[in-house]
Amino acid sequence: MKVAVEQMKRPHIVVMGGGTGLSVMLRGLKNKPLDITAIVTVADDGGSSGILRDELQMPPPGDIRNVLTALADVEPLMSELLNYRFSGSNGLAGHSLGNLILAGMTDITGDFVTAVREISRVFAVRGQVLPAAGEAVVLHAEMEDGTIVTGESQIPEHGGRIKRVFLEPDHVEPLPEAVAAIEQADAIIMGPGSLYTSILPNLLVPKLAEAVVASQAAKIFICNVMTQPGETDGYTVSDHLKAIDAHIGTRLFDYVIVNNGDIPEPVQEMYAEKGAKPVQMDLEEILKLSNECIADRLVLYRTYLRHDANKLSHHIYTLVQNWMIRKR
């Protein structure tokens, strides 16, 4: 007698954040049998993104470009071309070609979201890439001494301990597609990335935060390997969780994935010169704020410390599979 075996659906995951850490993780996840939606911050105001944002009145393209490049199914040379940054002292200096392509496509289509969608199609992006909102937002930080610092790029430069961050406008509307993706997700992943300037800006969009809190998906936090000067000086893993929970108003995460691999002393010394130290894993506190902590050697070192994308994606995929089996 044949036994019918119910096939598990392809998991739909939502990743939220920005910056290099998110892109590294996505390079691993795109090789797994997953439907991926990346929701990316639009608070960046520095460098090429800041210039294009100000001059063309468009959302900042840099973090979006990084995610598109990470998920694109193209030759390595084409990815390198998208990330190519002009040098010299002329008007193009400092701009990446990918940012300029996004700016040009926005002008052609008349809409940044449509531009991202069209470039995703042209570059065979494996998944859906969405800005957290259709307009640029300004990120502010209130420091513990009461000082208000304005601008994503200025917050880490100010120094001092951050009490909270908030957006202007404070009731910015998310893309309906982003809310729908969260509502349909089997897992929602945050990090790695800058806590206050890449991860939290997405959760400060009210309807996005409400959708995340209401979701029955597995909620997974990927902690940074190193502290970030001007943002998370002295932070443990649980300090990251507490900051997110404080902004949301509730305990958020089911799982926390952290690095427990040793970082060579010379590498630590190099980072210490910039004020960064390894994030300490305080397991007892982590388990007060989540259901489970997965610790593994997750770092690679070349020029900089980076997460091991293959190991990280394996842990995420296993967690999501197990979560879906239990929920069936």
Side-chain angles (χ1 to χ4, degrees):
M1 183 177 69
K2 292 183 179 180
V3 179
V5 179
E6 183 183 351
Q7 295 296 316
M8 185 183 299
K9 71 168 185 173
R10 187 181 176 96
H12 175 207
I13 67 167
V14 170
V15 297
M16 303 178 74
T20 305
L22 180 64
S23 301
V24 169
M25 179 178 70
L26 288 171
R27 291 181 192 279
L29 285 176
K30 76 175 181 181
N31 296 316
K32 298 292 185 183
L34 297 165
D35 288 332
I36 301 171
T37 296
I39 299 175
V40 186
T41 177
V42 286
D44 189 9
D45 64 355
S48 170
S49 285
I51 293 169
L52 294 172
R53 166 183 172 145
D54 292 341
E55 292 190 358
L56 303 179
Q57 300 302 299
M58 63 178 285
D63 284 331
I64 293 279
R65 182 203 78 241
N66 282 332
V67 170
L68 289 170
T69 304
L71 290 174
D73 191 11
V74 293
E75 294 295 325
L77 184 59
M78 186 59 71
S79 294
E80 189 175 340
L81 185 63
L82 284 172
N83 284 328
Y84 175 77
R85 197 169 293 275
F86 293 93
S87 57
S89 57
N90 57 31
L92 288 176
H95 284 294
S96 77
L97 183 57
N99 285 0
L100 296 176
I101 290 173
L102 271 166
M105 187 64 79
T106 299
D107 196 39
I108 290 169
T109 63
D111 175 66
F112 183 67
V113 176
T114 304
V116 173
R117 187 179 299 121
E118 289 301 309
I119 289 176
S120 296
R121 183 179 58 80
V122 170
F123 288 97
V125 167
R126 296 189 192 180
Q128 180 178 216
V129 181
L130 300 170
E135 61 180 301
V137 296
V138 177
L139 185 67
H140 303 276
E142 180 184 356
M143 313 305 289
E144 287 197 342
D145 65 2
T147 304
I148 303 296
V149 182
T150 296
E152 181 266 353
S153 61
Q154 298 303 309
I155 291 168
E157 301 297 323
H158 180 78
R161 200 166 179 89
I162 298 170
K163 180 179 180 181
R164 68 181 182 107
V165 287
F166 57 99
L167 295 182
E168 181 187 341
D170 58 353
H171 285 90
V172 62
E173 286 289 318
L175 295 185
E177 300 97 317
V179 175
I182 292 169
E183 291 173 344
Q184 297 161 15
D186 297 300
I188 299 168
I189 302 161
M190 296 180 201
S194 301
L195 175 63
Y196 288 103
T197 55
S198 290
I199 296 172
L200 276 169
N202 295 291
L203 292 171
L204 295 175
V205 178
K207 290 181 183 177
L208 285 187
E210 291 164 12
V212 170
V213 171
S215 172
Q216 297 302 304
K219 300 182 183 82
I220 304 168
F221 179 68
I222 317 295
C223 192
N224 288 347
V225 175
M226 306 294 289
T227 61
Q228 184 169 357
E231 284 202 42
T232 56
D233 300 280
Y235 273 38
T236 62
V237 174
S238 73
D239 288 330
H240 289 74
L241 302 176
K242 289 172 185 174
I244 294 173
D245 291 353
H247 281 77
I248 296 300
T250 186
R251 197 187 96 162
L252 197 58
F253 295 105
D254 300 295
Y255 303 105
V256 179
I257 300 178
V258 301
N259 171 64
N260 68 354
D262 291 332
I263 299 170
E265 282 297 327
V267 177
Q268 289 196 44
E269 290 171 4
M270 182 187 76
Y271 273 85
E273 290 177 3
K274 300 176 182 179
K277 296 181 180 179
V279 176
Q280 297 301 308
M281 184 177 70
D282 49 344
L283 184 59
E284 186 175 334
E285 290 299 312
I286 294 169
L287 293 177
K288 292 177 183 177
L289 300 164
S290 66
N291 297 335
E292 188 176 339
C293 178
I294 296 90
D296 194 4
R297 178 175 176 79
L298 295 174
V299 288
L300 297 173
Y301 176 71
R302 294 185 177 92
T303 306
Y304 300 99
L305 282 171
R306 293 285 184 260
H307 277 91
D308 184 324
N310 291 328
K311 273 191 177 183
L312 189 54
S313 60
H314 168 75
H315 283 297
I316 292 169
Y317 186 62
T318 300
L319 282 177
V320 175
Q321 281 188 311
N322 291 340
W323 179 271
M324 292 177 67
I325 289 169
R326 288 200 298 270
K327 293 294 181 180
R328 286 167 70 180

